[in-house]
Amino acid sequence: MIKTAAGARPSDLLPASILGLLGSRGLMTRAELATALRVSPATITQVSKDLMARGMVLELGQIASAGGRPARPLALVSSAGRIIGVKVTATHLAVIAAALDGEILKTWTLPFEPGRPEALDTAARTLVRVLGEVDGQVLGVGVAIPGVVDSLESGVADSPTIGLHNAQVGAVLRQRLGVPVLVENDVNALAVAEQVYGVGREYSTYLVVTIGRGIGCGIVIDGQVYRGATGGAGEIGHIPMVADGPPCPYGHSGCLESLIGMPGLLSKAAALGQNNTVESRDLDSDIATIRRLANLARSNKSFAEGLFGWAGQLLGGALAGAVNLLNPEVVVILGEGSEQWDLWEPGFEVEFRAKLLASRRSIPYLVEGWDEDKWALGAAALVLSSSFDRDGSTGYQGEMVRERLGIASSIGGKR
Ligand SMILES: [Zn+2]
């Protein structure tokens, strides 16, 4: 359950939270909203009346509710806003425009060369063009970056894997685009997408683990993404697994990611005699290579065990450690590598269960299908989730999103 609005600034946040919930979940009755937001039904009635008067929410015909009493559900007026999501990669920007219910309306793939000094400037210019192609008011832009981001509000990013160092992503884009910009680590953005559109509807404490080029983990505790003291929490890929192993981009050796991230898998395959396995800088060709290896593994049991079984076992051990440490209710596994999960699963299942504390041995995990738009939808969800901002982590940018929803200043009679 998403918890919000009961914190420090309920008069600001409650209308935004109602809009955010209706946007992400569709129709809801006032009673359902009151339960989800942990406020009284009378408060919901009062605030929703104001939102209806502003033309942002409408009341639909009666439906039978659980208690048998008919109720009139509320819905968002669909023109209330558009959200933009940008996933940054080593070679391009994957961009989507979405409606508030998460429906993807349009996608763009824009060239991006993060190593060049003018990279951010070029990105800003192409994104200005994208914004011009979007119908309806843009509430904000969410940006998901593989690496450490200091805060959603300031958006300074460090990403050695794609060659971005101390990049002022938030400041540059905000100034050039003229809309709120929220920047986050890409795996944390996926965790936010799960919060708004996925498992967050049923669970409040969970891990979102990605397998693919890198190995990442978003941590959601009591309905909030846990970012750590400086924004770098969840680096499960840099848990040391073996005393001396392959190097990682941060200068360690033997990290989980250096072993079973995509480049690690390719070197392991080479060590198993697949000498034509060459790692490239190009994710698409690496994915093609992994698919070829997976086909081979499906007809060669010992190769399957030696490569994917071994990788699944390492992942299972590391993840069991994370579950023992954080005690989540569920684990979600996704990312481009989840396509081969049938091959990872046997090794994973045995090691994961074996290394869990007895009291959590039955924890479920869900493996989700994958496409690149999911990263970008995660970025877009950052904008919507700023409506639920309980601890102020989205700062002034989050306030601006709420301003654009037309609700920050006058409802509730404060500020
Ligand atoms: Zn490392």
Side-chain angles (χ1 to χ4, degrees):
M1 178 183 292
I2 293 166
K3 288 186 280 183
T4 185
R9 298 180 301 165
S11 63
D12 290 352
L13 291 177
L14 188 54
S17 304
I18 291 174
L19 293 176
L21 271 181
L22 292 175
S24 60
R25 301 189 189 185
L27 306 183
M28 288 180 84
T29 64
R30 290 173 181 81
E32 288 166 341
L33 284 165
T35 308
L37 296 172
R38 299 181 184 183
V39 296
S40 75
T43 309
I44 295 289
T45 300
Q46 183 201 335
V47 178
S48 59
K49 201 170 147 190
D50 223 337
L51 289 170
M52 283 192 283
R54 286 161 172 264
M56 311 199 69
V57 164
L58 52 90
E59 189 180 55
L60 302 176
Q62 284 189 355
I63 54 165
S65 71
R69 281 176 57 199
R72 292 175 181 273
L74 300 176
L76 202 66
V77 174
S78 64
S79 59
R82 300 283 180 251
I83 46 182
I84 308 294
V86 180
K87 158 67 175 167
V88 178
T89 78
T91 55
H92 64 279
L93 304 177
V95 184
I96 61 152
L100 297 189
D101 59 3
E103 185 198 349
I104 296 176
L105 304 168
K106 200 164 179 183
T107 64
W108 297 261
T109 303
L110 309 171
F112 182 60
E113 296 177 79
R116 300 176 76 99
E118 73 279 13
L120 271 184
D121 212 51
T122 314
R125 198 165 50 237
T126 46
L127 287 172
V128 167
R129 208 189 65 226
V130 161
L131 257 59
E133 293 173 19
V134 176
D135 294 326
Q137 190 199 22
V138 173
L139 293 179
V141 175
V143 182
I145 295 185
V148 176
V149 177
D150 67 333
S151 82
L152 281 118
E153 184 182 18
S154 70
V156 179
D158 251 316
S159 178
T161 47
I162 66 168
L164 278 182
H165 302 283
N166 199 29
Q168 309 289 315
V169 180
V172 170
L173 293 186
R174 185 170 308 139
Q175 196 226 334
R176 297 282 293 277
L177 303 181
V179 297
V181 175
L182 294 152
V183 187
E184 179 59 291
N185 164 271
D186 56 357
V187 184
N188 283 352
L190 282 179
V192 170
E194 289 293 337
Q195 232 178 337
V196 177
Y197 301 117
V199 297
R201 297 176 185 199
E202 283 176 69
Y203 301 98
S204 64
T205 298
Y206 50 92
L207 304 179
V208 176
V209 177
T210 59
I211 55 176
R213 161 80 70 172
I215 308 292
C217 179
I219 303 167
V220 178
I221 298 175
D222 292 339
Q224 290 282 104
V225 174
Y226 177 72
R227 308 186 79 256
T230 57
E235 292 284 359
I236 198 173
H238 298 281
I239 290 181
M241 301 297 289
V242 297
D244 48 358
C248 89
Y250 289 91
H252 323 129
S253 60
C255 301
L256 182 66
E257 180 171 305
S258 68
L259 291 161
I260 65 166
M262 219 170 262
L265 279 187
L266 297 183
S267 8
K268 178 72 174 179
L272 291 170
Q274 289 301 311
N275 292 324
N276 52 350
T277 304
V278 184
E279 186 210 334
S280 72
R281 281 281 294 170
D282 173 10
L283 182 61
D284 288 341
S285 71
D286 285 354
I287 288 176
T289 309
I290 295 280
R291 283 182 181 156
R292 187 170 56 72
L293 294 172
N295 283 337
L296 184 66
R298 289 194 178 97
S299 60
N300 180 336
K301 196 161 177 253
S302 78
F303 179 64
E305 283 169 5
L307 182 62
F308 293 102
W310 163 86
Q313 195 183 349
L314 284 165
L315 181 69
L319 212 46
V323 169
N324 290 341
L325 182 70
L326 295 165
N327 192 17
E329 300 163 275
V330 66
V331 175
V332 181
I333 296 170
L334 36 64
E336 57 270 13
S338 67
E339 195 181 298
Q340 287 87 36
W341 186 254
D342 60 316
L343 295 166
W344 288 66
E345 202 258 335
F348 176 86
E349 179 64 28
V350 170
E351 186 71 2
F352 182 58
R353 302 293 171 202
K355 296 289 159 69
L356 286 170
L357 297 176
S359 60
R360 4 214 121 133
R361 206 154 280 157
S362 60
I363 182 176
Y365 62 87
L366 311 166
V367 181
E368 292 190 357
W370 184 253
D371 65 73
E372 197 177 35
D373 286 348
K374 213 161 201 169
W375 285 118
L377 183 62
L382 295 171
V383 178
L384 194 57
S385 77
S386 66
S387 327
F388 308 116
D389 182 9
R390 195 170 45 163
D391 59 0
S393 64
T394 60
Y396 183 55
Q397 296 305 305
E399 263 181 56
M400 276 172 55
V401 172
R402 295 191 287 277
E403 290 276 356
R404 292 171 87 82
L405 278 165
I407 48 182
S409 50
S410 58
I411 292 181
K414 292 197 179 158
R415 289 197 19 250

